[in-house]
Structure formats: C-alpha cells, structure tokens
C-alpha cells in the first residue's frame, strides 16, 4: 500500500484530505458494485467468459477489452486497485480535467489488453481481469507530473515517485519475462505503463498522423465560394460552423469547471497566470453578453 504526501510547489495535500474527483468516484463505485454483484452471485461466475479478456475470444467478444477492467477475482484485488485509484486519481483529474482523465484511464486499460495480444505466442490463451493496467498507467502519469512527490510505501518508507515507478517498471518487466507462475498478469501492468508513456509523450503526434493518413486533401470538403470571397474581401477568417462553436463552448465549460474545482480545493493562490487570464476572459465575455440587450435598447 502507498500514500502520497504533499506534491507540487504549493505543498497541497491529497489522499483522505483531498476532494474526491468526479470520475475517480464513479470508477470506484462501478468496480466495487460489480465485485459485490459477483460475490452475491447476481452476476454468475460463467459471465467471466463473456466479460473477461482472452485473446482467442476477442474477435467475437470485442467489448471484453473494456469490461475486463471492472472485474476482480478477490476483495484484496479490487481493494488494492481502488486504493491506488483513490490516492493517485484525484490530482491527475484536477490537473487534466475529467474528459482527458477518463480517456487516459481507458487508453492505459486498453494498453493492458493489447499486451496480451502482443505476447500471445508466449502467454497462450490466458484470461485476464482487473483494473491494474489502468492503475499502473495512473502511477506513471503521477510520477511524470510530480516526480519528487513522496510516496509512503506500506505507509512507512518514503520514496520519491520517480524512483518508485522506475523500480515498479523494472520489477514488472522482469516478472513478465519470467511468466505468470504467481497468477498475476504482470504483462498487463507493463502494457499500462508503456501505453501511458506513449500516449502522454506522443499522443498528439499520433493523432495528427492518423488524421493525415485517413483523410486526404481530396476527401476534405472544399469551402463555399461565398464564404471564401467574403474572407478575402474583408480580411477576416470565416465564422466557425455551429458544430465547431458548440465544441469550443463545451471545452471552455470543462475548463471553467476544472478551475473552479481547483479554487475550492486549494484557493485562488494556487491558480497559474494562464488560468487567471482564462477566467478573466470568460468573465469579460459573459459581461458582454449580458450588456448587449441593454445597449441595443438605449440606442
């Protein structure tokens, strides 16, 4: 077991004293609820074959690449995974926002499943369950964001996050090479670490490369001539489409929610200059929209 103390320059404390974030709470409830339903036999044991991940049945049951993350074989299995999610998840969700946090959690969980596919010739038809792949991805992300944060290993030994994750990665790699004699899917842990690193370091590049590969210039719709003539004559960029405008508004609201959560948790002094400038701009736009009807009536 492990527990973090202060992290970052402001010495913010989290763990039991840190406010629970939205998706961390939802994921914990979902994992514990499914474990309880399986313990009470409301979800029968044969359902593991339809929800757990195994390479031979993946083509006929592709949903198992996601559902396996919510299944656990024992109480200590689910408890340890959710304990790590409880400690490491909230600071990452506050830093990234709920949307990116959930996306990253699922990507690293899928990375754990992908490791079974890549190592199938060595592992054979092995059933895999548990959220450990996604949890190991969170450990890596925490160490990349707060490398010098102290982690109390077994609540006793203080270890810096960067050294803890390096040692964990080395142990996981060694255990994967030795096989699964202990009944633990170490390769899923390794898949979560690797996919998390690749996604954080190269995710944006991979997205742009995929867009270029999937959408050629011929497939992109040409702009309307009227809009192009107006842009050329006035020197202004064409107005965004309603769909693009809705996406921008949604992203802005997510950012506002994240900053407000941060203010409630750590106060105004914890905001960065960029976050303060963003709030000022949103406030100015809101005042402008409120003042517009009044001005139109007075003129």
């Amino acid at each position: 077991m492990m527990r973090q103390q202060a992290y970052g320059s402001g010495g913010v404390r989290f763990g039991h004293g840190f406010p629970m974030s939205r998706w961390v709470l939802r994921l914990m409830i979902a994992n514990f609820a499914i474990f309880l339903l399986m313990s009470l036999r409301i979800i029968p044991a044969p359902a593991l074959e339809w929800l757990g991940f195994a390479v031979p049945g993946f083509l006929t049951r592709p949903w198992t690449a996601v559902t396996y993350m919510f299944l656990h074989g024992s109480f200590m299995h689910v408890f340890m995974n959710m304990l790590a999610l409880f400690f490491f998840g909230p600071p990452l969700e506050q830093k990234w926002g709920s949307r990116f946090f959930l996306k990253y959690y699922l990507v690293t969980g899928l990375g754990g499943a992908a490791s079974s596919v890549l190592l199938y010739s060595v592992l054979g038809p092995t059933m895999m369950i548990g959220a450990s792949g996604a949890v190991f991805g969170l450990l890596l992300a925490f160490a990349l964001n707060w490398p010098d944060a102290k982690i109390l290993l077994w609540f006793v030994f203080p270890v810096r996050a960067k050294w803890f994750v390096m040692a964990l990665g080395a142990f996981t790699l060694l255990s994967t090479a030795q096989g699964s004699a202990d009944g633990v899917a170490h390769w899923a842990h390794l898949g979560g670490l690797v996919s998390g690193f690749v996604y954080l370091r190269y995710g944006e590049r991979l997205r742009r490369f995929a867009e270029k590969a999937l959408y050629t210039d011929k497939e992109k719709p040409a702009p309307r001539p009227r809009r192009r003539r107006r842009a050329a004559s006035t020197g202004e960029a064409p107005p965004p489409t309603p769909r693009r405008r809705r996406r921008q508004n949604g992203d802005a609201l997510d950012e506002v929610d994240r900053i407000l959560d941060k203010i409630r948790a750590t106060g105004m002094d914890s905001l960065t200059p960029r976050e303060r400038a963003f709030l000022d701009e949103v406030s100015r736009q809101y005042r402008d929209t409120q003042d517009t009807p009044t001005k139109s009536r007075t003129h």
Side-chain angles (χ1 to χ4, degrees):
M1 291 185 291
M2 62 209 86
R3 180 174 181 173
Q4 303 93 316
Q5 291 177 324
Y7 74 95
S9 59
V12 181
R13 298 178 63 86
F14 60 93
H16 290 289
F18 194 87
M20 177 62 68
S21 56
R22 183 189 312 172
W23 274 105
V24 169
L25 179 61
R26 292 173 180 175
L27 289 170
M28 291 179 64
I29 291 175
N31 279 274
F32 278 121
I34 292 175
F35 176 77
L36 180 61
L37 292 175
M38 294 189 67
S39 299
L40 297 176
R41 305 297 182 184
I42 298 176
I43 297 179
L48 282 176
E49 298 182 5
W50 288 91
L51 300 176
F53 183 83
V55 176
F58 172 65
L59 293 178
T60 57
R61 297 187 291 272
W63 60 83
T64 57
V66 175
T67 56
Y68 90 94
M69 306 180 208
F70 298 91
L71 305 177
H72 294 84
S74 66
F75 176 76
M76 286 305 298
H77 189 195
V78 65
F79 176 77
M80 294 301 294
N81 278 336
M82 293 304 101
L83 183 66
L85 176 62
F86 172 75
F87 283 132
F88 293 97
L92 290 169
E93 185 172 355
Q94 176 174 302
K95 180 179 178 64
W96 290 338
S98 297
R99 181 180 301 179
F100 186 86
F101 172 82
L102 179 61
K103 186 187 301 184
Y104 178 82
Y105 184 89
L106 294 176
V107 165
T108 50
L110 292 172
S115 65
S116 288
V117 178
L118 296 175
L119 299 175
Y120 178 70
S121 60
V122 177
L123 301 173
T126 304
M127 176 71 69
M128 186 173 66
I129 59 175
S132 300
V135 168
F136 271 60
L138 295 180
L139 294 176
L140 173 80
F142 179 85
L144 291 176
N145 282 279
W146 299 284
D148 294 323
K150 295 293 184 62
I151 297 176
L152 294 182
L153 188 62
W154 296 301
F155 296 103
V156 177
F157 306 105
V159 182
R160 293 189 186 275
K162 58 185 178 183
W163 303 124
F164 173 77
V165 172
M166 286 182 185
L168 195 64
F171 173 77
T172 301
L173 181 61
L174 180 62
S175 300
T176 301
Q178 292 177 345
S180 58
D182 57 356
V184 178
H186 296 287
W187 61 89
H189 304 170
L190 185 63
L193 291 171
V194 173
S195 60
F197 179 82
V198 172
Y199 187 72
L200 292 177
R201 291 300 192 201
Y202 307 107
E204 186 61 25
R205 295 184 190 177
L206 293 175
R207 184 188 65 79
R208 290 197 299 265
F209 177 80
E211 287 181 351
K212 291 180 180 179
L214 295 175
Y215 301 101
T216 64
D217 293 337
K218 294 181 179 180
E219 293 174 340
K220 294 180 180 179
R224 295 182 180 180
R226 181 180 302 176
R227 181 171 295 173
R228 285 196 297 176
R229 286 197 300 269
R230 179 182 177 186
S233 61
T234 61
E236 298 177 356
T241 62
R243 184 177 181 181
R244 177 62 179 171
R245 188 181 298 114
R246 287 195 297 269
R247 189 183 299 117
Q248 291 174 343
N249 292 340
D251 293 341
L253 290 176
D254 286 344
E255 181 67 6
V256 169
D257 289 341
R258 185 190 69 82
I259 294 176
L260 292 178
D261 289 341
K262 185 175 181 180
I263 293 173
R264 284 194 293 269
T266 60
M268 286 290 295
D269 294 338
S270 64
L271 296 184
T272 64
R274 186 192 65 81
E275 291 169 337
R276 291 176 182 272
F278 178 79
L279 281 183
D280 291 340
E281 177 63 19
V282 172
S283 299
R284 184 190 62 77
Q285 292 178 2
Y286 178 76
R287 289 195 300 270
D288 290 345
T289 58
Q290 295 299 312
D291 293 342
T292 299
T294 304
K295 292 179 180 180
S296 63
R297 287 194 296 268
T298 56
H299 286 283

